[in-house]
Amino acid sequence: MIPQLELRQQIEKHLTSDILPYWIDHTIDEEYGGFYGYITNDQQINKEAEKGCILNSRILWSYSKAYRMFKEERYLKVANHAYSFLIESFIDPEQGGVYWMVDYKGQPVEDRKHIYNQSFAIYGLSEYYMATGNEESLEIAKELYELIEKHAYDQENKGYLEAFTRKWGEMKIYD
């Protein structure tokens, strides 16, 4: 069995030598913002693929956390890139919340509101706040939380509904 400290060191090395650099080197869309929405197993990038908010939010969380842990400026740069794209392309300025999917240029193509998606945005924005002290990111995270509580909490069943239209009308996505 590998001792815990040695295992942690191996995982950290894999993270900082392979995983984080891969996403920096292969996924950042410098032309339109955000991150490429589709890369094949043989590393072919579809630069015109749609971009999902969950991927963007996970990258925001990952690089914000990596910056907090390792204090490397390149991680902060990726977190800033993810934050900018999230704010500019995924936030619905009229109805609140985040869109499910945008096109490669950052325009909404699937504007429904999934609570799963809203939650990942909250995770990313909260970690970004902890990494940068950016008050706007914390305020947006709080607004998303309030929208979830307002629209998704199911008083009758004491749980949360999953999917909504852009205007927060309930949607059935599974039958």
Side-chain angles (χ1 to χ4, degrees), residues 12 16 20 62-77 127 129-133:
E12 188 174 300
T16 58
L20 293 171
S62 298
Y63 284 89
S64 296
K65 183 67 171 181
Y67 176 70
R68 284 198 328 128
M69 288 183 67
F70 305 114
K71 302 297 185 215
E72 289 196 30
E73 289 298 314
R74 65 186 178 149
Y75 300 152
L76 179 59
K77 185 178 175 185
E127 189 64 37
Y129 168 74
M130 292 183 354
T132 65

Side-chain angles (χ1 to χ4, degrees), residues 25-40 43-51 85 102-106:
D25 295 340
H26 299 287
T27 68
I28 298 173
D29 184 345
E30 296 289 356
E31 185 174 1
Y32 293 108
F35 304 86
Y36 296 118
Y38 186 78
I39 301 174
T40 65
Q43 307 306 305
Q44 299 301 307
I45 296 169
N46 179 348
K47 292 184 177 184
E48 294 185 3
E50 295 175 347
K51 299 172 179 179
F85 194 70
V102 298
D103 69 12
Y104 72 99
K105 292 182 179 180

Side-chain angles (χ1 to χ4, degrees), residues 49-52 85 89-90 99-104 106-109:
E50 295 175 347
K51 299 172 179 179
F85 194 70
S89 296
F90 286 107
Y99 302 122
W100 181 253
M101 190 81 60
V102 298
D103 69 12
Y104 72 99
Q107 299 302 308
V109 293

Side-chain angles (χ1 to χ4, degrees), residues 1 3 18 24 29 38 41 44 58 61 78 85 87 94 101-102 113 154-155 161 172:
M1 223 168 113
D18 301 316
I24 292 170
D29 184 345
Y38 186 78
N41 290 339
Q44 299 301 307
R58 286 177 171 174
W61 183 90
V78 176
F85 194 70
I87 298 308
E94 295 168 14
M101 190 81 60
V102 298
K113 308 291 172 55
D154 180 354
Q155 193 73 3
L161 303 172
K172 298 253 188 251

Side-chain angles (χ1 to χ4, degrees), residues 129-143:
Y129 168 74
M130 292 183 354
T132 65
N134 180 309
E135 291 287 337
E136 179 187 48
S137 65
L138 180 60
E139 289 308 311
I140 295 168
K142 288 178 183 178
E143 289 169 12

